Amino acid sequence: MVQIRLTNTRTRRKEDFQPIDPTNLRLYLCGPTVYDRAHLGNARPVLVFDVLVRLLHHVYGREAVTYVRNFTDVDDKINAEAQRRKAAGSALSLEALVAERSDETIAWYHADMDALGAMRPHIRGEVTPVAEPRATAYIAQMIQMNLDLIARGHAYEAEGHVLFDVRSFPDYGKLSGRSVDDMIAGARVEVAPFKRDPMDFVLWKPSDDELPGWDSPWGRGRPGWHIECSAMSAALLGPSFDIHGGGIDLQFPHHENEIAQSCCAHPAEGFARYWLHNEMLQVEGKKMSKSLGNFFTVRDLLDRGVPGEVIRFVMLSTHYRKPMDWTEAKAAEAEAVLRRWRGLVAGIEPATSPAPALVEALADDLNTAGAFAVLHDLAARGDAAGLLASARMLGLLLPEMSEWYEDAKSTEWIAGSLSVEPLVRLLVQKLAEARKAKDFATADAIRADLTGIGITLSYDPDGGITYKREQQADLSQVSAIAAKHGISAT
RNA sequence: GGUGGGUUGGCGGAGAGGUUACGCACCGGAUUGCAAAUCCGUGAAGACCGGUUCGAUUCCGGUACCCACCUCCA
């Protein structure tokens, strides 16, 4: 059996992965807060985990893997949207409006992640909504966990809040390498007066009548963010499980707090054994932010015609623990490579198993960049069946993601360009006739004009011509070009 | 201020104490009416300063620069 090695943030070392139970692997990935479309950065941990899960499937079998990813649907931004709809005259209750907003955001999220070829979370291999818990469905478990923490002396009630007592957990700060005293020194937040220690964090907070809330021993309120993941992972995976993942920005405070809550509520258990954190995504060398104007969602890219498979390729071409930069140049390069590979594997059945070198690369702390080198090698040797089987382990060259390639190959035009398509066809026809008559001057002139506006073409061996519209094609000039070459629009 | 990560050839991006990473681009060649595509091939690197070593881009220390987190952003 292949030995998987993973960099465990908890120990800051690359370690052999030893499952608690090889027939029942359990993974938890912090999912999105469902207030809006997922931005590009949200996709990174999902794709990293997707490759990890595919690798685990390969090594341990699909039915041995349980992969849980939550939806955080308790959030001020969701509440704000619900309140806006209420104010706009909706007859629904606030709770129903919150659910409505969450539902539509979750549907978007599914569509976007599906487009990237990311597998849905699953329990022992079986895709089910249970593997994607919503925080609002686990409020009772959160309340119970808070009660346990209070009973064990790790939490206290103050003015309708329940707070975690960080001084009661000596290991607090271990994951992120900070001491409580360091954190206080660097803290820039105003400290609520009812906290025993400035770093104590909220497990439960009160809700007023304007906000969604649930009845609890501490009055009507809602859970703190961190307790949600502790309660849901315990409910679905048990108090000890194998791998917990997320972006490096969640290391502190979110994951630190999860550890504190879960380890104090279940002192005999180890909680997550391996912690995986991916580095952040940048755009053209800068942090993605709304103020810089370089903020965009996965859907924005898809709508602009960047295939999901290309996004996936770019994301995986950088190791997950390094900052990665999204650039147009990378997307173009990825598309060219994918196009070549798809041409190579067309009509080919995949080999029965991926190349051992590829599995080895992935087993070595998910070295996806190294895995690409293996794919390039297979392609260079003309091993199409091996390339296909291996690429699919990375979630590439999957049949369900081939649409963009098929469209380009069949020179199909998107709806907006239908009106000029007949003209282009006539121009190409004229070009073909000119070539046949060895009138290369005319042929080259037509080709140059079409290339100039972003319609590229290539000559097939049989004398036919394949043409396609590039991303930035300027179709407004087509009729002028047609007129120039003696073709009139009718 | 605290914590963590990074700096590799024109660009992107890995591994490894000594032996070609790989891809894109470039250049040369094959093919082509010319292109495109494809195929073959060459060249090119490891921030700076010290240390350990027979030997370091790879280990250790320092310096510079970049980034992230410390604010319920993956």
Short mmCIF file of all heavy atoms in Angstrom, two decimals, chain B residues 42-62:
data_model
loop_
_atom_site.label_atom_id
_atom_site.label_comp_id
_atom_site.label_asym_id
_atom_site.label_seq_id
_atom_site.Cartn_x
_atom_site.Cartn_y
_atom_site.Cartn_z
P U B 42 18.67 18.01 -26.27
OP1 U B 42 19.71 17.18 -25.63
OP2 U B 42 17.37 18.22 -25.61
"O5'" U B 42 19.30 19.44 -26.57
"C5'" U B 42 20.50 19.56 -27.34
"C4'" U B 42 20.86 21.01 -27.50
"O4'" U B 42 19.84 21.70 -28.28
"C3'" U B 42 20.94 21.82 -26.22
"O3'" U B 42 22.16 21.62 -25.53
"C2'" U B 42 20.80 23.25 -26.74
"O2'" U B 42 22.00 23.71 -27.28
"C1'" U B 42 19.77 23.05 -27.86
N1 U B 42 18.39 23.35 -27.40
C2 U B 42 18.03 24.68 -27.30
O2 U B 42 18.79 25.59 -27.56
N3 U B 42 16.74 24.91 -26.87
C4 U B 42 15.80 23.96 -26.54
O4 U B 42 14.68 24.31 -26.18
C5 U B 42 16.27 22.59 -26.67
C6 U B 42 17.51 22.35 -27.08
P G B 43 22.22 21.80 -23.94
OP1 G B 43 23.56 21.36 -23.49
OP2 G B 43 21.01 21.20 -23.35
"O5'" G B 43 22.14 23.38 -23.75
"C5'" G B 43 23.14 24.22 -24.32
"C4'" G B 43 22.68 25.65 -24.26
"O4'" G B 43 21.43 25.78 -24.98
"C3'" G B 43 22.35 26.16 -22.86
"O3'" G B 43 23.51 26.59 -22.18
"C2'" G B 43 21.40 27.31 -23.16
"O2'" G B 43 22.10 28.46 -23.58
"C1'" G B 43 20.61 26.75 -24.35
N9 G B 43 19.36 26.10 -23.93
C8 G B 43 19.10 24.75 -23.81
N7 G B 43 17.89 24.48 -23.42
C5 G B 43 17.31 25.73 -23.25
C6 G B 43 16.01 26.09 -22.85
O6 G B 43 15.07 25.36 -22.53
N1 G B 43 15.85 27.47 -22.80
C2 G B 43 16.82 28.39 -23.12
N2 G B 43 16.48 29.67 -23.01
N3 G B 43 18.04 28.07 -23.51
C4 G B 43 18.21 26.75 -23.56
P A B 44 23.64 26.25 -20.60
OP1 A B 44 25.01 26.62 -20.21
OP2 A B 44 23.12 24.89 -20.37
"O5'" A B 44 22.64 27.30 -19.92
"C5'" A B 44 22.85 28.71 -20.09
"C4'" A B 44 21.62 29.45 -19.62
"O4'" A B 44 20.48 29.06 -20.42
"C3'" A B 44 21.20 29.14 -18.19
"O3'" A B 44 21.93 29.94 -17.26
"C2'" A B 44 19.73 29.49 -18.21
"O2'" A B 44 19.52 30.88 -18.09
"C1'" A B 44 19.32 29.04 -19.62
N9 A B 44 18.77 27.67 -19.61
C8 A B 44 19.44 26.50 -19.71
N7 A B 44 18.68 25.44 -19.66
C5 A B 44 17.40 25.95 -19.52
C6 A B 44 16.14 25.36 -19.41
N6 A B 44 15.95 24.04 -19.42
N1 A B 44 15.08 26.17 -19.29
C2 A B 44 15.27 27.49 -19.27
N3 A B 44 16.41 28.17 -19.36
C4 A B 44 17.44 27.34 -19.49
P A B 45 22.57 29.26 -15.98
OP1 A B 45 23.74 30.06 -15.60
OP2 A B 45 22.70 27.82 -16.25
"O5'" A B 45 21.47 29.45 -14.85
"C5'" A B 45 21.03 30.76 -14.50
"C4'" A B 45 20.07 30.67 -13.35
"O4'" A B 45 19.07 29.67 -13.64
"C3'" A B 45 20.68 30.19 -12.04
"O3'" A B 45 21.29 31.27 -11.35
"C2'" A B 45 19.47 29.68 -11.30
"O2'" A B 45 18.73 30.74 -10.70
"C1'" A B 45 18.62 29.10 -12.43
N9 A B 45 18.71 27.64 -12.53
C8 A B 45 19.74 26.88 -13.02
N7 A B 45 19.51 25.59 -12.99
C5 A B 45 18.24 25.50 -12.44
C6 A B 45 17.41 24.41 -12.15
N6 A B 45 17.75 23.14 -12.38
N1 A B 45 16.21 24.66 -11.63
C2 A B 45 15.86 25.94 -11.40
N3 A B 45 16.56 27.06 -11.63
C4 A B 45 17.74 26.75 -12.16
P G B 46 22.23 31.04 -10.07
OP1 G B 46 22.97 32.27 -9.81
OP2 G B 46 22.93 29.79 -10.37
"O5'" G B 46 21.23 30.78 -8.86
"C5'" G B 46 20.19 31.74 -8.50
"C4'" G B 46 19.19 31.01 -7.66
"O4'" G B 46 18.83 29.76 -8.25
"C3'" G B 46 19.73 30.65 -6.26
"O3'" G B 46 19.34 31.73 -5.42
"C2'" G B 46 19.06 29.27 -5.94
"O2'" G B 46 18.23 29.26 -4.86
"C1'" G B 46 18.27 29.00 -7.22
N9 G B 46 18.11 27.59 -7.57
C8 G B 46 17.11 26.74 -7.20
N7 G B 46 17.24 25.53 -7.65
C5 G B 46 18.39 25.59 -8.38
C6 G B 46 19.02 24.58 -9.13
O6 G B 46 18.69 23.42 -9.30
N1 G B 46 20.18 25.06 -9.76
C2 G B 46 20.67 26.35 -9.63
N2 G B 46 21.75 26.62 -10.28
N3 G B 46 20.10 27.29 -8.94
C4 G B 46 18.97 26.86 -8.34
P A B 47 18.67 32.03 -4.16
OP1 A B 47 19.58 31.63 -3.09
OP2 A B 47 17.27 31.54 -4.28
"O5'" A B 47 18.59 33.63 -4.15
"C5'" A B 47 18.43 34.34 -5.36
"C4'" A B 47 18.63 35.80 -5.04
"O4'" A B 47 17.55 36.23 -4.18
"C3'" A B 47 19.92 36.09 -4.27
"O3'" A B 47 20.99 36.35 -5.14
"C2'" A B 47 19.54 37.30 -3.44
"O2'" A B 47 19.64 38.49 -4.20
"C1'" A B 47 18.05 37.03 -3.13
N9 A B 47 17.84 36.32 -1.86
C8 A B 47 17.26 35.10 -1.70
N7 A B 47 17.19 34.70 -0.46
C5 A B 47 17.77 35.74 0.25
C6 A B 47 18.00 35.94 1.63
N6 A B 47 17.66 35.05 2.56
N1 A B 47 18.59 37.09 2.00
C2 A B 47 18.93 37.97 1.06
N3 A B 47 18.77 37.90 -0.27
C4 A B 47 18.17 36.75 -0.61
P C B 48 22.44 35.71 -4.84
OP1 C B 48 23.29 35.95 -6.02
OP2 C B 48 22.27 34.35 -4.30
"O5'" C B 48 22.97 36.64 -3.64
"C5'" C B 48 23.17 38.03 -3.85
"C4'" C B 48 23.46 38.70 -2.53
"O4'" C B 48 22.30 38.62 -1.68
"C3'" C B 48 24.56 38.03 -1.72
"O3'" C B 48 25.86 38.41 -2.14
"C2'" C B 48 24.23 38.51 -0.31
"O2'" C B 48 24.67 39.83 -0.10
"C1'" C B 48 22.70 38.48 -0.33
N1 C B 48 22.16 37.22 0.21
C2 C B 48 22.12 37.06 1.60
O2 C B 48 22.57 37.97 2.31
N3 C B 48 21.61 35.92 2.12
C4 C B 48 21.15 34.96 1.32
N4 C B 48 20.66 33.87 1.89
C5 C B 48 21.18 35.10 -0.10
C6 C B 48 21.69 36.23 -0.61
P C B 49 27.08 37.36 -1.94
OP1 C B 49 28.25 37.95 -2.61
OP2 C B 49 26.63 36.00 -2.30
"O5'" C B 49 27.30 37.42 -0.37
"C5'" C B 49 27.67 38.63 0.26
"C4'" C B 49 27.82 38.41 1.74
"O4'" C B 49 26.51 38.16 2.33
"C3'" C B 49 28.62 37.19 2.14
"O3'" C B 49 30.01 37.45 2.05
"C2'" C B 49 28.16 36.96 3.56
"O2'" C B 49 28.76 37.84 4.48
"C1'" C B 49 26.66 37.30 3.45
N1 C B 49 25.82 36.10 3.26
C2 C B 49 25.40 35.40 4.39
O2 C B 49 25.74 35.80 5.51
N3 C B 49 24.63 34.30 4.24
C4 C B 49 24.29 33.89 3.02
N4 C B 49 23.53 32.81 2.92
C5 C B 49 24.71 34.58 1.85
C6 C B 49 25.47 35.68 2.01
P G B 50 31.02 36.21 2.13
OP1 G B 50 32.37 36.71 1.86
OP2 G B 50 30.49 35.06 1.33
"O5'" G B 50 30.89 35.83 3.66
"C5'" G B 50 31.40 34.65 4.15
"C4'" G B 50 30.91 34.42 5.56
"O4'" G B 50 29.48 34.71 5.66
"C3'" G B 50 31.03 32.98 6.01
"O3'" G B 50 32.36 32.71 6.46
"C2'" G B 50 29.98 32.89 7.11
"O2'" G B 50 30.43 33.49 8.30
"C1'" G B 50 28.86 33.74 6.49
N9 G B 50 27.98 32.91 5.66
C8 G B 50 27.81 32.98 4.29
N7 G B 50 26.95 32.12 3.83
C5 G B 50 26.53 31.41 4.96
C6 G B 50 25.61 30.35 5.09
O6 G B 50 24.97 29.79 4.20
N1 G B 50 25.49 29.93 6.41
C2 G B 50 26.17 30.48 7.48
N2 G B 50 25.92 29.94 8.67
N3 G B 50 27.02 31.48 7.37
C4 G B 50 27.16 31.90 6.09
P G B 51 33.05 31.31 6.03
OP1 G B 51 34.46 31.33 6.45
OP2 G B 51 32.69 31.04 4.62
"O5'" G B 51 32.26 30.28 6.96
"C5'" G B 51 32.26 30.45 8.37
"C4'" G B 51 31.31 29.48 9.01
"O4'" G B 51 29.96 29.75 8.57
"C3'" G B 51 31.53 28.02 8.64
"O3'" G B 51 32.58 27.44 9.39
"C2'" G B 51 30.18 27.42 8.97
"O2'" G B 51 30.02 27.20 10.36
"C1'" G B 51 29.22 28.54 8.54
N9 G B 51 28.70 28.33 7.18
C8 G B 51 29.03 29.02 6.04
N7 G B 51 28.38 28.60 4.98
C5 G B 51 27.57 27.57 5.46
C6 G B 51 26.63 26.73 4.79
O6 G B 51 26.32 26.73 3.60
N1 G B 51 26.04 25.83 5.66
C2 G B 51 26.31 25.73 7.01
N2 G B 51 25.65 24.79 7.68
N3 G B 51 27.17 26.52 7.66
C4 G B 51 27.76 27.40 6.82
P U B 52 33.41 26.22 8.79
OP1 U B 52 34.50 25.89 9.72
OP2 U B 52 33.70 26.52 7.36
"O5'" U B 52 32.35 25.03 8.82
"C5'" U B 52 31.90 24.49 10.06
"C4'" U B 52 30.94 23.36 9.82
"O4'" U B 52 29.73 23.88 9.19
"C3'" U B 52 31.42 22.30 8.84
"O3'" U B 52 32.28 21.35 9.47
"C2'" U B 52 30.11 21.68 8.39
"O2'" U B 52 29.58 20.78 9.35
"C1'" U B 52 29.21 22.92 8.30
N1 U B 52 29.19 23.49 6.94
C2 U B 52 28.32 22.93 6.02
O2 U B 52 27.59 21.99 6.28
N3 U B 52 28.35 23.50 4.78
C4 U B 52 29.13 24.56 4.36
O4 U B 52 29.04 24.96 3.21
C5 U B 52 30.01 25.08 5.36
C6 U B 52 30.01 24.54 6.59
P U B 53 33.62 20.94 8.76
OP1 U B 53 34.31 19.97 9.65
OP2 U B 53 34.34 22.15 8.30
"O5'" U B 53 33.12 20.15 7.47
"C5'" U B 53 32.35 18.98 7.60
"C4'" U B 53 31.88 18.51 6.25
"O4'" U B 53 30.94 19.48 5.70
"C3'" U B 53 32.97 18.43 5.18
"O3'" U B 53 33.71 17.23 5.28
"C2'" U B 53 32.15 18.52 3.90
"O2'" U B 53 31.55 17.28 3.58
"C1'" U B 53 31.06 19.51 4.30
N1 U B 53 31.39 20.91 3.88
C2 U B 53 30.88 21.34 2.67
O2 U B 53 30.19 20.64 1.96
N3 U B 53 31.23 22.61 2.32
C4 U B 53 32.01 23.49 3.04
O4 U B 53 32.23 24.62 2.59
C5 U B 53 32.49 22.97 4.28
C6 U B 53 32.18 21.73 4.65
P C B 54 35.27 17.31 5.08
OP1 C B 54 35.76 15.95 5.40
OP2 C B 54 35.80 18.49 5.80
"O5'" C B 54 35.44 17.57 3.53
"C5'" C B 54 36.72 17.92 2.98
"C4'" C B 54 36.63 17.89 1.48
"O4'" C B 54 36.44 16.52 1.05
"C3'" C B 54 35.45 18.63 0.89
"O3'" C B 54 35.73 20.01 0.73
"C2'" C B 54 35.26 17.93 -0.44
"O2'" C B 54 36.16 18.38 -1.42
"C1'" C B 54 35.58 16.48 -0.07
N1 C B 54 34.37 15.71 0.29
C2 C B 54 33.50 15.31 -0.73
O2 C B 54 33.75 15.63 -1.90
N3 C B 54 32.40 14.59 -0.42
C4 C B 54 32.16 14.26 0.86
N4 C B 54 31.08 13.56 1.12
C5 C B 54 33.02 14.66 1.91
C6 C B 54 34.12 15.37 1.59
P G B 55 34.60 21.09 1.15
OP1 G B 55 35.17 22.44 0.95
OP2 G B 55 34.04 20.71 2.47
"O5'" G B 55 33.50 20.85 0.03
"C5'" G B 55 33.76 21.23 -1.33
"C4'" G B 55 32.66 20.73 -2.23
"O4'" G B 55 32.54 19.30 -2.09
"C3'" G B 55 31.27 21.25 -1.89
"O3'" G B 55 31.05 22.52 -2.47
"C2'" G B 55 30.37 20.18 -2.51
"O2'" G B 55 30.25 20.36 -3.91
"C1'" G B 55 31.19 18.91 -2.24
N9 G B 55 30.77 18.22 -1.03
C8 G B 55 31.43 18.18 0.18
N7 G B 55 30.82 17.46 1.08
C5 G B 55 29.68 16.98 0.42
C6 G B 55 28.63 16.15 0.89
O6 G B 55 28.49 15.63 2.00
N1 G B 55 27.69 15.92 -0.11
C2 G B 55 27.74 16.43 -1.37
N2 G B 55 26.74 16.10 -2.18
N3 G B 55 28.71 17.21 -1.83
C4 G B 55 29.65 17.45 -0.88
P A B 56 30.18 23.62 -1.61
OP1 A B 56 30.27 24.91 -2.34
OP2 A B 56 30.58 23.55 -0.20
"O5'" A B 56 28.69 23.05 -1.75
"C5'" A B 56 28.01 23.07 -3.01
"C4'" A B 56 26.57 23.47 -2.77
"O4'" A B 56 26.01 22.52 -1.82
"C3'" A B 56 26.47 24.84 -2.10
"O3'" A B 56 26.47 25.94 -3.01
"C2'" A B 56 25.19 24.69 -1.22
"O2'" A B 56 24.03 25.07 -1.92
"C1'" A B 56 25.14 23.20 -0.92
N9 A B 56 25.51 22.85 0.45
C8 A B 56 26.56 23.27 1.19
N7 A B 56 26.61 22.74 2.40
C5 A B 56 25.49 21.92 2.44
C6 A B 56 24.97 21.06 3.43
N6 A B 56 25.51 20.89 4.64
N1 A B 56 23.84 20.38 3.14
C2 A B 56 23.30 20.54 1.95
N3 A B 56 23.70 21.29 0.92
C4 A B 56 24.81 21.96 1.25
P U B 57 25.56 26.30 -4.15
OP1 U B 57 25.55 25.21 -5.09
OP2 U B 57 26.01 27.63 -4.58
"O5'" U B 57 24.08 26.46 -3.55
"C5'" U B 57 23.39 27.68 -3.66
"C4'" U B 57 21.91 27.40 -3.70
"O4'" U B 57 21.57 26.87 -5.00
"C3'" U B 57 21.45 26.35 -2.70
"O3'" U B 57 21.15 26.93 -1.46
"C2'" U B 57 20.21 25.78 -3.37
"O2'" U B 57 19.09 26.60 -3.16
"C1'" U B 57 20.58 25.87 -4.87
N1 U B 57 21.10 24.62 -5.44
C2 U B 57 20.26 23.53 -5.52
O2 U B 57 19.11 23.56 -5.11
N3 U B 57 20.81 22.40 -6.07
C4 U B 57 22.08 22.25 -6.55
O4 U B 57 22.42 21.17 -7.01
C5 U B 57 22.89 23.42 -6.43
C6 U B 57 22.39 24.53 -5.90
P U B 58 21.55 26.27 -0.06
OP1 U B 58 21.13 27.18 1.01
OP2 U B 58 22.96 25.84 -0.20
"O5'" U B 58 20.67 24.94 0.01
"C5'" U B 58 19.23 25.03 0.17
"C4'" U B 58 18.65 23.65 -0.03
"O4'" U B 58 19.23 23.13 -1.25
"C3'" U B 58 18.99 22.66 1.07
"O3'" U B 58 17.79 22.29 1.75
"C2'" U B 58 19.54 21.43 0.37
"O2'" U B 58 18.77 20.26 0.66
"C1'" U B 58 19.39 21.74 -1.12
N1 U B 58 20.54 21.33 -1.95
C2 U B 58 20.47 20.07 -2.52
O2 U B 58 19.53 19.33 -2.32
N3 U B 58 21.54 19.74 -3.31
C4 U B 58 22.63 20.53 -3.58
O4 U B 58 23.50 20.08 -4.31
C5 U B 58 22.63 21.81 -2.95
C6 U B 58 21.61 22.17 -2.17
P C B 59 17.35 23.04 3.08
OP1 C B 59 16.03 22.50 3.46
OP2 C B 59 17.54 24.48 2.91
"O5'" C B 59 18.44 22.53 4.13
"C5'" C B 59 18.24 21.32 4.85
"C4'" C B 59 19.26 21.22 5.95
"O4'" C B 59 20.57 21.00 5.36
"C3'" C B 59 19.44 22.51 6.75
"O3'" C B 59 18.49 22.58 7.80
"C2'" C B 59 20.86 22.35 7.28
"O2'" C B 59 20.91 21.47 8.38
"C1'" C B 59 21.56 21.71 6.09
N1 C B 59 22.19 22.70 5.18
C2 C B 59 23.33 23.38 5.61
O2 C B 59 23.76 23.17 6.75
N3 C B 59 23.91 24.28 4.78
C4 C B 59 23.42 24.49 3.57
N4 C B 59 24.04 25.37 2.79
C5 C B 59 22.26 23.81 3.10
C6 C B 59 21.68 22.93 3.93
P C B 60 17.95 24.00 8.28
OP1 C B 60 16.85 23.76 9.23
OP2 C B 60 17.72 24.86 7.08
"O5'" C B 60 19.19 24.60 9.07
"C5'" C B 60 19.64 23.98 10.27
"C4'" C B 60 20.79 24.77 10.84
"O4'" C B 60 21.94 24.64 9.97
"C3'" C B 60 20.55 26.27 10.91
"O3'" C B 60 19.81 26.63 12.06
"C2'" C B 60 21.97 26.81 10.95
"O2'" C B 60 22.57 26.67 12.22
"C1'" C B 60 22.68 25.86 9.97
N1 C B 60 22.70 26.39 8.58
C2 C B 60 23.68 27.34 8.26
O2 C B 60 24.46 27.72 9.13
N3 C B 60 23.71 27.84 6.99
C4 C B 60 22.83 27.42 6.09
N4 C B 60 22.91 27.93 4.85
C5 C B 60 21.83 26.45 6.39
C6 C B 60 21.80 25.97 7.65
P G B 61 18.89 27.95 12.02
OP1 G B 61 18.10 27.97 13.28
OP2 G B 61 18.20 28.01 10.72
"O5'" G B 61 19.95 29.13 12.07
"C5'" G B 61 20.72 29.34 13.24
"C4'" G B 61 21.70 30.45 13.02
"O4'" G B 61 22.65 30.07 11.98
"C3'" G B 61 21.13 31.75 12.48
"O3'" G B 61 20.51 32.54 13.50
"C2'" G B 61 22.37 32.42 11.91
"O2'" G B 61 23.18 32.97 12.93
"C1'" G B 61 23.09 31.22 11.29
N9 G B 61 22.74 31.08 9.86
C8 G B 61 21.86 30.19 9.29
N7 G B 61 21.76 30.33 7.98
C5 G B 61 22.63 31.37 7.69
C6 G B 61 22.95 31.97 6.45
O6 G B 61 22.52 31.70 5.32
N1 G B 61 23.87 33.01 6.59
C2 G B 61 24.41 33.41 7.79
N2 G B 61 25.28 34.42 7.74
N3 G B 61 24.13 32.84 8.96
C4 G B 61 23.24 31.85 8.83
P G B 62 19.34 33.54 13.09
OP1 G B 62 18.79 34.08 14.36
OP2 G B 62 18.45 32.87 12.12
"O5'" G B 62 20.10 34.71 12.33
"C5'" G B 62 21.01 35.57 13.04
"C4'" G B 62 21.76 36.43 12.08
"O4'" G B 62 22.44 35.59 11.11
"C3'" G B 62 20.92 37.36 11.21
"O3'" G B 62 20.53 38.54 11.90
"C2'" G B 62 21.87 37.65 10.06
"O2'" G B 62 22.85 38.60 10.44
"C1'" G B 62 22.54 36.28 9.87
N9 G B 62 21.84 35.50 8.83
C8 G B 62 21.00 34.42 8.99
N7 G B 62 20.54 33.96 7.85
C5 G B 62 21.10 34.78 6.89
C6 G B 62 20.98 34.77 5.47
O6 G B 62 20.32 34.01 4.77
N1 G B 62 21.72 35.80 4.88
C2 G B 62 22.48 36.71 5.57
N2 G B 62 23.11 37.61 4.83
N3 G B 62 22.62 36.72 6.89
C4 G B 62 21.91 35.74 7.48
#
